[in-house]
Amino acid sequence: MNPSKSEWMEALTARHGITLHKRFTSATVAVCGLGGLGSNIAIALARAGVGKLLLIDFDRVDITNLHRQQYKAKQIGCYKTEALTENLLEIAPYIEVKAVTAKITEANLADLLKEADVVCEAFDNAQAKAMLVNGVLEQLPNCYLVAASGMAGMDTPNTIKTRKVMKRFYLCGDEVSEVADSIGLVAPRVMLCAAHQAHTVLRILAGEYEV
Amino acid sequence: MVKVNGTELDIAGKTVSEYLAITNYDSKRIAVERNGDIVFKSQYDVTVLENGDSLEIVSFVGGG
């Protein structure tokens, strides 16, 4: 049986302190793309008590996703938005999740993301990443953006890092390791990058803007 | 001189598009920051680089 909402909030407050707890629970964070990056980012933010998660993806869970993405075998074939919502609410029953099954484009991103305090770019396609980054920086002047580039393969974990590119734009990853025929994505290195993104989001919400 | 990702280059007077054309960057995979602000994609053709400008080009790779 789930604990009550007041027990839940008390436990989070005890861990984070009242100031951080209020900042986390009052925030809305968008996760764009619910693959290896996005599913891990969303779980980390849900555990931290981020008040509202906006999840956006057009795809369904595939058997080839399960080596790195936070889904279960029985969820193969489900929309990622629906499967991840289910998993998140099992972990953290008192967050609010808004899931949108749609493809994000230059034309719809401002409307889809307008309520977000912070947007996480978690796509896997390089052109889609660039489209979202340019779109958010051009169209949403008050929004923070945490993107990712370069986390494929078996290279050392120690090259995954976070840098602040400009005022509202942070970039995580090694910036070079691209997916190719002979170089895939392995769970821990993708999770490292997702953890950089999720932690950067929490730091922004905490008012810590430098890396 | 214009600083591009930390390196001083003699490209003042060129537009962002003209500079990108002489590089290997794929314009569909990048974001360009000039003096701390994003350069809108629609402005690459008309944004002229000036002496002392600082340009940061982020090029995305696939995977996520």
Side-chain angles (χ1 to χ4, degrees):
Chain A
M1 204 177 81
N2 284 337
S4 70
K5 185 169 185 180
S6 61
E7 287 173 316
W8 191 271
M9 293 306 174
E10 214 170 285
L12 279 176
T13 307
R15 285 287 176 269
H16 294 149
I18 188 68
T19 305
L20 276 185
H21 178 68
K22 280 185 175 167
R23 284 176 178 241
F24 293 171
T25 53
S26 62
T28 298
V29 177
V31 183
C32 302
L34 304 177
L37 294 171
S39 62
N40 280 298
I41 292 168
I43 285 177
L45 297 178
R47 288 195 190 280
V50 169
K52 183 171 181 180
L53 293 177
L54 178 55
L55 309 177
I56 308 170
D57 197 297
F58 63 89
D59 212 355
R60 293 174 187 266
V61 178
D62 185 83
I63 191 170
T64 59
N65 300 151
L66 295 184
H67 73 295
R68 73 181 194 283
Q69 304 185 18
Q70 296 290 352
Y71 301 102
K72 302 167 189 175
K74 69 173 185 186
Q75 293 177 319
I76 290 170
C78 300
Y79 280 115
K80 290 183 178 180
T81 44
E82 291 170 10
L84 190 59
T85 300
E86 182 182 302
N87 297 348
L88 289 172
L89 293 177
E90 283 177 15
I91 291 168
Y94 300 111
I95 61 165
E96 186 182 345
V97 179
K98 181 178 172 187
V100 180
T101 304
K103 194 159 194 163
I104 302 175
T105 67
E106 271 172 11
N108 68 13
L109 72 87
D111 190 50
L112 282 173
L113 302 173
K114 60 179 182 282
E115 62 184 308
D117 301 302
V118 186
V119 170
C120 292
E121 179 283 308
F123 293 151
D124 64 355
N125 177 278
Q127 288 190 14
K129 286 173 178 290
M131 180 279 297
L132 184 64
V133 165
N134 283 291
V136 169
L137 294 173
E138 290 182 10
Q139 298 180 41
L140 296 166
N142 297 316
C143 187
Y144 287 86
L145 172 67
V146 183
S149 182
M151 75 301 295
M154 291 296 292
D155 200 357
T156 170
N158 295 335
T159 49
I160 304 282
K161 59 184 182 358
T162 300
R163 72 179 174 108
K164 186 177 181 180
V165 181
M166 48 190 273
K167 284 191 290 285
R168 299 179 291 114
F169 173 28
Y170 298 79
L171 184 64
C172 307
D174 68 15
E175 299 189 41
V176 291
S177 298
E178 180 152 31
V179 172
D181 287 345
S182 56
I183 175 172
L185 292 154
V186 289
R189 204 157 189 270
V190 178
M191 290 168 80
L192 275 167
C193 192
H196 269 259
Q197 288 183 273
H199 194 65
T200 300
V201 170
L202 294 183
R203 282 180 54 80
I204 292 166
L205 298 180
E208 300 286 346
Y209 299 108
E210 299 309 318
V211 295
Chain B
M1 300 295 272
V2 176
K3 195 180 270 187
V4 181
N5 293 0
T7 304
E8 298 272 0
L9 297 176
D10 188 12
I11 54 170
K14 288 186 190 300
T15 64
V16 171
S17 289
E18 285 167 348
Y19 169 63
L20 292 173
I22 57 169
T23 68
N24 291 322
Y25 286 113
D26 175 348
S27 64
K28 290 196 175 73
R29 290 180 167 217
I30 60 171
V32 179
E33 172 211 347
R34 180 191 182 214
N35 302 333
D37 290 311
I38 189 76
V39 181
F40 283 38
K41 299 287 275 189
S42 59
Q43 301 298 302
Y44 284 7
D45 285 347
V46 294
T47 301
V48 179
L49 300 171
E50 294 172 14
N51 269 316
D53 275 359
S54 184
L55 216 59
E56 172 81 22
I57 301 173
V58 175
S59 184
F60 292 91
V61 300

mmCIF file of all heavy atoms in Angstrom, chain A residues 33-41 43 57 59-73 75 78 80 84 87 122-124 185-188 190-191, chain B residues 63-64:
data_model
loop_
_atom_site.group_PDB
_atom_site.id
_atom_site.type_symbol
_atom_site.label_atom_id
_atom_site.label_comp_id
_atom_site.label_asym_id
_atom_site.label_seq_id
_atom_site.Cartn_x
_atom_site.Cartn_y
_atom_site.Cartn_z
ATOM 1 N N GLY A 33 11.519 13.385 -25.471
ATOM 2 C CA GLY A 33 12.156 12.128 -25.857
ATOM 3 C C GLY A 33 12.268 11.248 -24.629
ATOM 4 O O GLY A 33 12.836 11.649 -23.622
ATOM 5 N N LEU A 34 11.681 10.044 -24.699
ATOM 6 C CA LEU A 34 11.609 9.166 -23.515
ATOM 7 C C LEU A 34 12.377 7.883 -23.753
ATOM 8 O O LEU A 34 11.915 6.783 -23.466
ATOM 9 C CB LEU A 34 10.142 8.886 -23.168
ATOM 10 C CG LEU A 34 9.287 10.141 -22.932
ATOM 11 C CD1 LEU A 34 7.845 9.753 -22.660
ATOM 12 C CD2 LEU A 34 9.847 10.990 -21.801
ATOM 13 N N GLY A 35 13.590 8.006 -24.293
ATOM 14 C CA GLY A 35 14.452 6.851 -24.524
ATOM 15 C C GLY A 35 15.414 6.651 -23.373
ATOM 16 O O GLY A 35 15.051 6.793 -22.207
ATOM 17 N N GLY A 36 16.669 6.326 -23.719
ATOM 18 C CA GLY A 36 17.668 6.061 -22.691
ATOM 19 C C GLY A 36 17.927 7.263 -21.808
ATOM 20 O O GLY A 36 18.108 7.130 -20.594
ATOM 21 N N LEU A 37 17.945 8.437 -22.391
ATOM 22 C CA LEU A 37 18.129 9.650 -21.596
ATOM 23 C C LEU A 37 16.840 10.015 -20.858
ATOM 24 O O LEU A 37 16.818 10.125 -19.637
ATOM 25 C CB LEU A 37 18.554 10.823 -22.486
ATOM 26 C CG LEU A 37 19.924 10.721 -23.150
ATOM 27 C CD1 LEU A 37 20.108 11.842 -24.172
ATOM 28 C CD2 LEU A 37 21.042 10.760 -22.114
ATOM 29 N N GLY A 38 15.774 10.190 -21.620
ATOM 30 C CA GLY A 38 14.549 10.749 -21.046
ATOM 31 C C GLY A 38 13.923 9.889 -19.965
ATOM 32 O O GLY A 38 13.449 10.412 -18.944
ATOM 33 N N SER A 39 13.910 8.554 -20.152
ATOM 34 C CA SER A 39 13.275 7.703 -19.137
ATOM 35 C C SER A 39 14.065 7.757 -17.837
ATOM 36 O O SER A 39 13.490 7.766 -16.744
ATOM 37 C CB SER A 39 13.123 6.264 -19.644
ATOM 38 O OG SER A 39 14.376 5.667 -19.929
ATOM 39 N N ASN A 40 15.394 7.816 -17.939
ATOM 40 C CA ASN A 40 16.216 7.916 -16.732
ATOM 41 C C ASN A 40 16.124 9.293 -16.075
ATOM 42 O O ASN A 40 16.088 9.403 -14.852
ATOM 43 C CB ASN A 40 17.678 7.593 -17.066
ATOM 44 C CG ASN A 40 17.927 6.096 -17.151
ATOM 45 O OD1 ASN A 40 17.759 5.378 -16.171
ATOM 46 N ND2 ASN A 40 18.315 5.611 -18.329
ATOM 47 N N ILE A 41 16.103 10.348 -16.887
ATOM 48 C CA ILE A 41 15.945 11.707 -16.340
ATOM 49 C C ILE A 41 14.631 11.800 -15.561
ATOM 50 O O ILE A 41 14.583 12.296 -14.423
ATOM 51 C CB ILE A 41 15.937 12.756 -17.477
ATOM 52 C CG1 ILE A 41 17.292 12.854 -18.155
ATOM 53 C CG2 ILE A 41 15.509 14.127 -16.941
ATOM 54 C CD1 ILE A 41 17.261 13.647 -19.467
ATOM 55 N N ILE A 43 12.773 9.531 -14.147
ATOM 56 C CA ILE A 43 12.747 8.780 -12.884
ATOM 57 C C ILE A 43 13.526 9.526 -11.803
ATOM 58 O O ILE A 43 13.078 9.640 -10.657
ATOM 59 C CB ILE A 43 13.270 7.345 -13.106
ATOM 60 C CG1 ILE A 43 12.188 6.533 -13.825
ATOM 61 C CG2 ILE A 43 13.656 6.686 -11.779
ATOM 62 C CD1 ILE A 43 12.584 5.114 -14.182
ATOM 63 N N ASP A 57 6.770 12.172 -26.256
ATOM 64 C CA ASP A 57 7.407 11.221 -27.175
ATOM 65 C C ASP A 57 6.303 10.685 -28.084
ATOM 66 O O ASP A 57 5.150 10.591 -27.681
ATOM 67 C CB ASP A 57 8.042 10.061 -26.381
ATOM 68 C CG ASP A 57 9.044 9.271 -27.204
ATOM 69 O OD1 ASP A 57 8.636 8.653 -28.224
ATOM 70 O OD2 ASP A 57 10.224 9.263 -26.850
ATOM 71 N N ASP A 59 6.802 7.670 -29.798
ATOM 72 C CA ASP A 59 7.156 6.287 -30.132
ATOM 73 C C ASP A 59 6.589 5.285 -29.125
ATOM 74 O O ASP A 59 6.146 5.642 -28.047
ATOM 75 C CB ASP A 59 8.686 6.183 -30.155
ATOM 76 C CG ASP A 59 9.175 5.173 -31.170
ATOM 77 O OD1 ASP A 59 8.347 4.487 -31.796
ATOM 78 O OD2 ASP A 59 10.402 5.055 -31.316
ATOM 79 N N ARG A 60 6.674 3.991 -29.531
ATOM 80 C CA ARG A 60 6.268 2.901 -28.653
ATOM 81 C C ARG A 60 7.500 2.156 -28.133
ATOM 82 O O ARG A 60 8.561 2.197 -28.753
ATOM 83 C CB ARG A 60 5.380 1.908 -29.413
ATOM 84 C CG ARG A 60 4.033 2.469 -29.834
ATOM 85 C CD ARG A 60 3.309 1.450 -30.708
ATOM 86 N NE ARG A 60 2.087 1.995 -31.281
ATOM 87 C CZ ARG A 60 0.882 1.866 -30.739
ATOM 88 N NH1 ARG A 60 0.732 1.211 -29.599
ATOM 89 N NH2 ARG A 60 -0.176 2.383 -31.326
ATOM 90 N N VAL A 61 7.343 1.460 -27.018
ATOM 91 C CA VAL A 61 8.430 0.660 -26.451
ATOM 92 C C VAL A 61 8.724 -0.513 -27.390
ATOM 93 O O VAL A 61 7.813 -1.244 -27.797
ATOM 94 C CB VAL A 61 8.054 0.119 -25.051
ATOM 95 C CG1 VAL A 61 9.186 -0.751 -24.505
ATOM 96 C CG2 VAL A 61 7.735 1.266 -24.106
ATOM 97 N N ASP A 62 10.006 -0.670 -27.718
ATOM 98 C CA ASP A 62 10.444 -1.739 -28.608
ATOM 99 C C ASP A 62 11.399 -2.658 -27.840
ATOM 100 O O ASP A 62 12.078 -2.213 -26.905
ATOM 101 C CB ASP A 62 11.164 -1.110 -29.811
ATOM 102 C CG ASP A 62 11.548 -2.148 -30.854
ATOM 103 O OD1 ASP A 62 10.675 -2.504 -31.675
ATOM 104 O OD2 ASP A 62 12.706 -2.620 -30.834
ATOM 105 N N ILE A 63 11.472 -3.902 -28.271
ATOM 106 C CA ILE A 63 12.352 -4.857 -27.581
ATOM 107 C C ILE A 63 13.806 -4.374 -27.581
ATOM 108 O O ILE A 63 14.553 -4.622 -26.632
ATOM 109 C CB ILE A 63 12.223 -6.268 -28.212
ATOM 110 C CG1 ILE A 63 12.913 -7.311 -27.328
ATOM 111 C CG2 ILE A 63 12.777 -6.305 -29.628
ATOM 112 C CD1 ILE A 63 12.632 -8.745 -27.749
ATOM 113 N N THR A 64 14.190 -3.635 -28.606
ATOM 114 C CA THR A 64 15.579 -3.154 -28.689
ATOM 115 C C THR A 64 15.852 -1.968 -27.753
ATOM 116 O O THR A 64 16.975 -1.484 -27.677
ATOM 117 C CB THR A 64 15.924 -2.707 -30.129
ATOM 118 O OG1 THR A 64 15.019 -1.651 -30.498
ATOM 119 C CG2 THR A 64 15.802 -3.845 -31.108
ATOM 120 N N ASN A 65 14.822 -1.496 -27.054
ATOM 121 C CA ASN A 65 15.007 -0.380 -26.107
ATOM 122 C C ASN A 65 15.401 -0.862 -24.716
ATOM 123 O O ASN A 65 15.918 -0.100 -23.901
ATOM 124 C CB ASN A 65 13.711 0.425 -25.930
ATOM 125 C CG ASN A 65 13.173 1.046 -27.199
ATOM 126 O OD1 ASN A 65 11.973 1.232 -27.316
ATOM 127 N ND2 ASN A 65 14.032 1.366 -28.162
ATOM 128 N N LEU A 66 15.104 -2.129 -24.416
ATOM 129 C CA LEU A 66 15.104 -2.555 -23.009
ATOM 130 C C LEU A 66 16.497 -2.678 -22.403
ATOM 131 O O LEU A 66 16.629 -2.766 -21.188
ATOM 132 C CB LEU A 66 14.339 -3.870 -22.855
ATOM 133 C CG LEU A 66 12.831 -3.771 -23.182
ATOM 134 C CD1 LEU A 66 12.139 -5.092 -22.899
ATOM 135 C CD2 LEU A 66 12.161 -2.664 -22.400
ATOM 136 N N HIS A 67 17.546 -2.665 -23.235
ATOM 137 C CA HIS A 67 18.898 -2.765 -22.674
ATOM 138 C C HIS A 67 19.336 -1.464 -22.005
ATOM 139 O O HIS A 67 20.359 -1.433 -21.329
ATOM 140 C CB HIS A 67 19.906 -3.153 -23.765
ATOM 141 C CG HIS A 67 20.192 -2.038 -24.725
ATOM 142 N ND1 HIS A 67 19.236 -1.532 -25.572
ATOM 143 C CD2 HIS A 67 21.305 -1.315 -24.928
ATOM 144 C CE1 HIS A 67 19.771 -0.545 -26.268
ATOM 145 N NE2 HIS A 67 21.016 -0.392 -25.909
ATOM 146 N N ARG A 68 18.607 -0.365 -22.228
ATOM 147 C CA ARG A 68 19.031 0.896 -21.611
ATOM 148 C C ARG A 68 17.890 1.800 -21.152
ATOM 149 O O ARG A 68 18.145 2.794 -20.477
ATOM 150 C CB ARG A 68 19.931 1.684 -22.583
ATOM 151 C CG ARG A 68 19.204 2.314 -23.763
ATOM 152 C CD ARG A 68 20.153 3.057 -24.692
ATOM 153 N NE ARG A 68 19.465 3.909 -25.623
ATOM 154 C CZ ARG A 68 18.832 3.514 -26.717
ATOM 155 N NH1 ARG A 68 18.781 2.227 -27.033
ATOM 156 N NH2 ARG A 68 18.244 4.387 -27.512
ATOM 157 N N GLN A 69 16.690 1.496 -21.529
ATOM 158 C CA GLN A 69 15.579 2.398 -21.222
ATOM 159 C C GLN A 69 14.739 1.828 -20.086
ATOM 160 O O GLN A 69 14.634 0.618 -19.939
ATOM 161 C CB GLN A 69 14.734 2.631 -22.482
ATOM 162 C CG GLN A 69 15.574 3.174 -23.630
ATOM 163 C CD GLN A 69 14.777 3.538 -24.868
ATOM 164 O OE1 GLN A 69 13.555 3.700 -24.808
ATOM 165 N NE2 GLN A 69 15.459 3.689 -25.991
ATOM 166 N N GLN A 70 14.109 2.691 -19.308
ATOM 167 C CA GLN A 70 13.451 2.267 -18.065
ATOM 168 C C GLN A 70 12.020 1.772 -18.320
ATOM 169 O O GLN A 70 11.059 2.327 -17.800
ATOM 170 C CB GLN A 70 13.480 3.419 -17.054
ATOM 171 C CG GLN A 70 14.878 3.803 -16.620
ATOM 172 C CD GLN A 70 15.539 2.739 -15.756
ATOM 173 O OE1 GLN A 70 14.916 1.761 -15.349
ATOM 174 N NE2 GLN A 70 16.828 2.907 -15.460
ATOM 175 N N TYR A 71 11.937 0.707 -19.121
ATOM 176 C CA TYR A 71 10.649 0.059 -19.350
ATOM 177 C C TYR A 71 10.768 -1.410 -18.979
ATOM 178 O O TYR A 71 11.859 -1.911 -18.707
ATOM 179 C CB TYR A 71 10.220 0.235 -20.820
ATOM 180 C CG TYR A 71 10.112 1.684 -21.205
ATOM 181 C CD1 TYR A 71 11.121 2.313 -21.949
ATOM 182 C CD2 TYR A 71 9.028 2.441 -20.775
ATOM 183 C CE1 TYR A 71 11.043 3.668 -22.250
ATOM 184 C CE2 TYR A 71 8.949 3.798 -21.081
ATOM 185 C CZ TYR A 71 9.949 4.400 -21.823
ATOM 186 O OH TYR A 71 9.869 5.730 -22.108
ATOM 187 N N LYS A 72 9.641 -2.106 -19.036
ATOM 188 C CA LYS A 72 9.615 -3.517 -18.650
ATOM 189 C C LYS A 72 9.203 -4.350 -19.859
ATOM 190 O O LYS A 72 8.523 -3.846 -20.767
ATOM 191 C CB LYS A 72 8.616 -3.709 -17.510
ATOM 192 C CG LYS A 72 8.950 -2.863 -16.304
ATOM 193 C CD LYS A 72 7.794 -2.813 -15.315
ATOM 194 C CE LYS A 72 8.092 -1.785 -14.228
ATOM 195 N NZ LYS A 72 6.957 -1.616 -13.312
ATOM 196 N N ALA A 73 9.589 -5.626 -19.844
ATOM 197 C CA ALA A 73 9.295 -6.505 -20.986
ATOM 198 C C ALA A 73 7.807 -6.488 -21.327
ATOM 199 O O ALA A 73 7.423 -6.453 -22.498
ATOM 200 C CB ALA A 73 9.770 -7.929 -20.686
ATOM 201 N N GLN A 75 5.836 -4.178 -21.240
ATOM 202 C CA GLN A 75 5.389 -2.904 -21.821
ATOM 203 C C GLN A 75 5.749 -2.750 -23.298
ATOM 204 O O GLN A 75 5.446 -1.718 -23.902
ATOM 205 C CB GLN A 75 5.986 -1.735 -21.016
ATOM 206 C CG GLN A 75 5.422 -1.660 -19.589
ATOM 207 C CD GLN A 75 6.045 -0.551 -18.760
ATOM 208 O OE1 GLN A 75 7.246 -0.333 -18.816
ATOM 209 N NE2 GLN A 75 5.226 0.138 -17.982
ATOM 210 N N CYS A 78 3.655 -0.699 -26.009
ATOM 211 C CA CYS A 78 2.910 0.438 -25.424
ATOM 212 C C CYS A 78 3.566 1.750 -25.849
ATOM 213 O O CYS A 78 4.770 1.813 -26.081
ATOM 214 C CB CYS A 78 2.946 0.393 -23.902
ATOM 215 S SG CYS A 78 2.232 -1.085 -23.185
ATOM 216 N N LYS A 80 5.463 5.006 -25.164
ATOM 217 C CA LYS A 80 6.406 5.316 -24.083
ATOM 218 C C LYS A 80 5.801 6.297 -23.081
ATOM 219 O O LYS A 80 6.068 6.205 -21.879
ATOM 220 C CB LYS A 80 7.712 5.880 -24.661
ATOM 221 C CG LYS A 80 8.528 4.830 -25.398
ATOM 222 C CD LYS A 80 9.848 5.378 -25.905
ATOM 223 C CE LYS A 80 10.641 4.267 -26.590
ATOM 224 N NZ LYS A 80 11.943 4.738 -27.105
ATOM 225 N N LEU A 84 5.815 5.011 -19.320
ATOM 226 C CA LEU A 84 6.643 5.726 -18.343
ATOM 227 C C LEU A 84 5.778 6.386 -17.262
ATOM 228 O O LEU A 84 6.156 6.413 -16.082
ATOM 229 C CB LEU A 84 7.536 6.770 -19.036
ATOM 230 C CG LEU A 84 8.602 7.403 -18.146
ATOM 231 C CD1 LEU A 84 9.550 6.353 -17.557
ATOM 232 C CD2 LEU A 84 9.420 8.446 -18.906
ATOM 233 N N ASN A 87 5.124 3.723 -14.792
ATOM 234 C CA ASN A 87 6.308 3.411 -13.978
ATOM 235 C C ASN A 87 6.620 4.530 -12.984
ATOM 236 O O ASN A 87 6.981 4.265 -11.832
ATOM 237 C CB ASN A 87 7.519 3.158 -14.882
ATOM 238 C CG ASN A 87 7.313 1.941 -15.778
ATOM 239 O OD1 ASN A 87 6.379 1.166 -15.568
ATOM 240 N ND2 ASN A 87 8.165 1.782 -16.786
ATOM 241 N N ALA A 122 16.173 15.214 -24.869
ATOM 242 C CA ALA A 122 16.598 13.826 -24.663
ATOM 243 C C ALA A 122 16.315 12.976 -25.899
ATOM 244 O O ALA A 122 16.008 11.788 -25.802
ATOM 245 C CB ALA A 122 15.908 13.247 -23.425
ATOM 246 N N PHE A 123 16.418 13.591 -27.056
ATOM 247 C CA PHE A 123 16.232 12.863 -28.317
ATOM 248 C C PHE A 123 17.460 12.026 -28.624
ATOM 249 O O PHE A 123 18.516 12.206 -28.006
ATOM 250 C CB PHE A 123 16.024 13.856 -29.472
ATOM 251 C CG PHE A 123 14.748 14.647 -29.396
ATOM 252 C CD1 PHE A 123 14.686 15.915 -29.954
ATOM 253 C CD2 PHE A 123 13.611 14.129 -28.807
ATOM 254 C CE1 PHE A 123 13.506 16.660 -29.909
ATOM 255 C CE2 PHE A 123 12.424 14.858 -28.756
ATOM 256 C CZ PHE A 123 12.386 16.126 -29.309
ATOM 257 N N ASP A 124 17.358 11.147 -29.628
ATOM 258 C CA ASP A 124 18.562 10.429 -30.046
ATOM 259 C C ASP A 124 19.061 10.885 -31.418
ATOM 260 O O ASP A 124 20.222 10.681 -31.750
ATOM 261 C CB ASP A 124 18.387 8.901 -29.977
ATOM 262 C CG ASP A 124 17.335 8.392 -30.936
ATOM 263 O OD1 ASP A 124 16.666 9.213 -31.593
ATOM 264 O OD2 ASP A 124 17.180 7.163 -31.018
ATOM 265 N N LEU A 185 24.703 2.081 -27.790
ATOM 266 C CA LEU A 185 24.523 2.752 -26.498
ATOM 267 C C LEU A 185 24.439 1.691 -25.411
ATOM 268 O O LEU A 185 23.711 0.714 -25.561
ATOM 269 C CB LEU A 185 23.230 3.556 -26.528
ATOM 270 C CG LEU A 185 23.225 4.762 -27.467
ATOM 271 C CD1 LEU A 185 21.816 5.090 -27.909
ATOM 272 C CD2 LEU A 185 23.863 5.967 -26.803
ATOM 273 N N VAL A 186 25.188 1.879 -24.339
ATOM 274 C CA VAL A 186 25.100 0.942 -23.215
ATOM 275 C C VAL A 186 24.524 1.671 -22.003
ATOM 276 O O VAL A 186 24.776 2.862 -21.804
ATOM 277 C CB VAL A 186 26.472 0.316 -22.868
ATOM 278 C CG1 VAL A 186 26.898 -0.657 -23.967
ATOM 279 C CG2 VAL A 186 27.531 1.370 -22.665
ATOM 280 N N ALA A 187 23.746 0.917 -21.219
ATOM 281 C CA ALA A 187 22.926 1.530 -20.170
ATOM 282 C C ALA A 187 23.698 2.477 -19.254
ATOM 283 O O ALA A 187 23.281 3.627 -19.067
ATOM 284 C CB ALA A 187 22.217 0.446 -19.356
ATOM 285 N N PRO A 188 24.831 2.050 -18.673
ATOM 286 C CA PRO A 188 25.421 2.943 -17.667
ATOM 287 C C PRO A 188 25.939 4.260 -18.224
ATOM 288 O O PRO A 188 25.824 5.302 -17.565
ATOM 289 C CB PRO A 188 26.559 2.114 -17.061
ATOM 290 C CG PRO A 188 26.666 0.872 -17.840
ATOM 291 C CD PRO A 188 25.492 0.751 -18.732
ATOM 292 N N VAL A 190 24.798 5.896 -20.848
ATOM 293 C CA VAL A 190 23.630 6.739 -21.122
ATOM 294 C C VAL A 190 23.042 7.261 -19.808
ATOM 295 O O VAL A 190 22.649 8.429 -19.699
ATOM 296 C CB VAL A 190 22.562 5.957 -21.916
ATOM 297 C CG1 VAL A 190 21.334 6.819 -22.167
ATOM 298 C CG2 VAL A 190 23.131 5.474 -23.239
ATOM 299 N N MET A 191 23.022 6.395 -18.793
ATOM 300 C CA MET A 191 22.485 6.811 -17.491
ATOM 301 C C MET A 191 23.347 7.914 -16.866
ATOM 302 O O MET A 191 22.820 8.817 -16.202
ATOM 303 C CB MET A 191 22.399 5.628 -16.528
ATOM 304 C CG MET A 191 21.316 4.636 -16.911
ATOM 305 S SD MET A 191 21.448 3.096 -15.973
ATOM 306 C CE MET A 191 20.692 3.573 -14.429
ATOM 307 N N GLY B 63 22.410 9.862 -30.547
ATOM 308 C CA GLY B 63 22.437 8.925 -29.425
ATOM 309 C C GLY B 63 21.688 9.479 -28.238
ATOM 310 O O GLY B 63 21.812 10.655 -27.933
ATOM 311 N N GLY B 64 20.862 8.626 -27.605
ATOM 312 C CA GLY B 64 20.128 9.111 -26.433
ATOM 313 C C GLY B 64 19.229 8.064 -25.849
ATOM 314 O O GLY B 64 19.437 6.890 -26.045
#
